[in-house]
Structures are given as C-alpha cells and as structure tokens.
Amino acid sequence: MIDMKAVVVRRPGGPEVLGIERVPIPTPQRGQVLIRVKAFGLNRSELFTRQGHSSNVRFPRILGIEAVGLVDAAPGGEVNKGQIVATAMGGMGRDFDGGYAEYVCVPAGQVQAVNTNLSWETLGAIPEMLQTAWGSLFKALRITKGEKLLIRGGTTSVGLAAAAIATNHGASVASTTRRPDRAGLLRHAGADQVFIDSGSISEAVKAAGGVHKVLELVGTTTLLDSLRCANPRGLVCMTGMVGNKWEIERFSPMDAIPTSVGLTTYDGGPGDFMATPLQSLVQQIEAGELRVAVGRTFGIDAIVDAHLAMETNVAGGKIVVLP
C-alpha cells in the first residue's frame, strides 16, 4: 500500500472543512518513526487550528496532536516494528502532518513504547489527556497529599483525568460544572465536592473553606474568579481554554491577583510528554485504580460528527477516533 486515508484541512472553517482524502504514506527518515495509527483522541487545540486561530499553521494540513498505534518502521532502531506506541505534541498537526490519518510520521524523541492489553479505544484517549493532567498537577501546581484542589472545568476530559489522578495521590478534589446533571460524572471521577458554575463561584468556594490549588481549564473567562478561590499562598494554573477566549481585557495584576496567591500556566511539549509516566498510568488503568472517561467513539469517516460533538461539549469524556 502506497497511500492512506487521512483527514485533510485545506482552509480554516467549521467542521465541514475536515475532508477525507487519499494521500501518500510518509516515508520515515533516520530519527523518525512511522506509526500505523490505531486510534487518536480529539483535542480543543485542534478545533482552534481548524478554525484558523493557530497563526503558524499553514494549510493544507492533517490535524492531530496525538496518536497511538503500532510501529511500522523506525530506520534508527529506536523502537521495534510492531511495538505498541503513543505519541503527542512536538508540532504534530501544526508544524507537520498529525494523527488524523491511518499513518503518522513523528520524531523518535516523542514516542513512548507501551506494553498493554487495553483496547485501542481506551489507549487512544490517554496520551495528551494524561500528559496534560499529570503535568498540570505535578509540574505546575506541585500538588501534594492532603491539599484541596479545585478543578475549574471538571467535565472536560483533562478535568476528569486530573480528578482521578489527584484523588489517587491523596488530594481532596472539588470540581465545577455548569450543568447540575453532570455532578454524578464528577463524583464518579473522584470529586468530593461539586460546585455548579455560574461564572462566579469564589464566594461559595471561600465559604466552604477555600482551596490550596486551582486547575483552570475554562480559561480567561473564569480565571479572575478562580484566583479569588485560592487561599493565601495558594497557586492557580491556567491550562485550558474551553471558554474560547484567549485574552483578559484591561487586566490589572494588582487588582486581579490576591496577595500571596501565585499564577502559573502549563503548556506541555514533547519533553513533558516523554516525562509523563505513561506505562505506570496505563497499569493503573488496567488494575482499575485510575478511571478514564471515554465519552464517544467515532470512525474516521465520521470526523465531522466527532468535531461537532467536541465543539458542542456533549461527549461527557474524551472523544476517540478509530481510523
């Protein structure tokens, strides 16, 4: 076989610009790995790229910042043919063609070998989701046992994963949702407390004792309120932007950031992905110790429907596509 099925975006726009095409299979060079893609998760950054908000992306482009599958070729011998692997970040779907295809060619330095019996559906949900949750919690927030964590945007796939990981680490978790009917989903993921998010919850959080750390996944639309949720010497990490707003207008740090509260961000790259203990986390999933919420699964021919589900926030977990 010399060509493959891929999702090609030739111009920015709505889900309808996601076109199924036959394109040549990439030829890996030394230092690269060709992966036969078995599953890939959807990420909101791909939605932003599709809409034209990633200024450095040139079209046409195959999107996709993550993928799992089997090694087809590795000219440098970094991994063996047939090995189960995961890859994420490093310019996938932005600087070079990404995982929305039957094959993807990536630098060997962003490929993790995984030994597992998990289904492709489950494995496909985890590379970027767990990398982001793990990095936000332990690199940016430096969460420790006994601390209370607030996850703003708790029903996102990263929010659900972060709740499970933080709970396993001994933290107490409070999560937010705009929909009261999603409270059960949050508690199942590990949240001890649920706040119904009207956009302003800091008074309710403070009345409940406040929190040590805040993982902000909604973004700039709720960040100022999240800063007010943190106790003195607390820390807030902005990781997500599901609120679809990039900047804070008329931002005044002295007014916005409470005394002694810290503000940081997390934007993981390939080094962060490689530092994520993926094999250990996979083993926890296999043992039933770490819950992963797969929301919906689609075939690659239904990629437009998959993006619509992501854009309208109806999945209730990670969306996974099986080529």
Side-chain angles (χ1 to χ4, degrees):
M1 187 169 63
I2 61 172
D3 63 1
M4 65 178 183
K5 184 183 291 186
V7 179
V8 181
V9 177
R10 296 194 169 276
R11 57 179 175 82
E16 71 280 356
V17 303
L18 298 160
I20 303 294
E21 298 183 18
R22 302 295 304 188
V23 301
I25 296 174
T27 301
Q29 305 300 314
R30 194 171 186 84
Q32 295 180 320
V33 177
L34 180 64
I35 301 169
R36 182 179 180 185
V37 178
K38 291 294 187 177
F40 59 85
L42 297 193
N43 299 278
R44 293 196 76 86
S45 65
E46 296 153 0
L47 186 155
F48 297 143
T49 299
R50 189 207 76 209
Q51 292 172 331
H53 298 310
S54 301
S55 59
N56 63 320
V57 174
R58 298 292 177 262
F59 299 103
R61 177 63 70 213
I62 298 172
L63 302 184
I65 65 171
E66 65 176 324
V68 299
L70 301 171
V71 174
D72 188 84
E78 296 88 354
V79 283
N80 296 323
K81 185 172 182 176
Q83 170 70 53
I84 298 173
V85 292
T87 186
M89 308 302 292
M92 287 180 67
R94 298 169 63 89
D95 300 329
F96 57 90
D97 287 336
Y100 284 24
E102 293 178 315
Y103 290 84
V104 65
C105 186
V106 299
Q110 64 180 70
V111 176
Q112 281 207 51
V114 182
N115 297 312
T116 181
N117 292 315
L118 289 176
S119 67
W120 290 118
E121 176 184 5
T122 301
L123 192 63
I126 68 176
E128 170 61 9
M129 179 175 70
L130 293 189
Q131 180 269 138
T132 303
W134 181 272
S136 296
L137 291 174
F138 298 110
K139 183 175 183 178
L141 286 172
R142 302 182 291 279
I143 196 80
T144 59
K145 183 178 180 179
E147 288 186 320
K148 186 170 184 179
L149 169 71
L150 173 66
I151 301 176
R152 197 79 182 255
T155 59
T156 62
S157 60
V158 172
L160 295 169
I165 293 171
T167 298
N168 286 355
H169 194 67
S172 173
V173 176
S175 292
T176 74
T177 176
R178 292 176 298 173
R179 293 172 46 180
D181 63 323
R182 292 287 182 91
L185 175 67
L186 297 178
R187 294 189 184 280
H188 183 71
D192 304 298
Q193 190 173 17
V194 174
F195 291 97
I196 305 305
D197 200 341
S198 63
S200 178
I201 62 168
S202 56
E203 290 188 7
V205 173
K206 285 293 189 182
V211 295
H212 301 98
K213 306 286 173 66
V214 181
L215 175 54
E216 176 59 78
L217 298 172
V218 177
T220 58
T221 56
T222 55
L223 179 60
L224 299 184
D225 189 62
S226 290
L227 285 163
R228 292 190 288 269
C229 293
N231 289 338
R233 300 194 179 186
L235 186 59
V236 179
C237 173
M238 179 171 155
T239 295
M241 290 184 291
V242 297
N244 293 339
K245 187 177 180 182
W246 298 80
E247 299 176 347
I248 298 176
E249 297 176 4
R250 297 182 296 277
F251 177 64
S252 172
M254 293 294 289
D255 294 330
I257 305 175
T259 298
S260 81
V261 172
L263 172 62
T264 187
T265 64
Y266 181 78
D267 180 17
D272 296 300
F273 171 68
M274 296 303 288
T276 303
L278 199 59
Q279 183 66 54
S280 174
L281 293 169
V282 163
Q283 290 170 342
Q284 292 176 43
I285 296 169
E286 291 175 330
E289 299 168 357
L290 178 61
R291 294 182 293 270
V292 171
V294 178
R296 294 184 63 183
T297 303
F298 294 84
I300 195 169
D301 291 329
I303 189 65
V304 170
D305 293 333
H307 261 243
L308 281 170
M310 175 170 59
E311 201 161 349
T312 53
N313 300 312
V314 297
K318 186 77 170 184
I319 297 173
V320 179
V321 177
L322 306 174

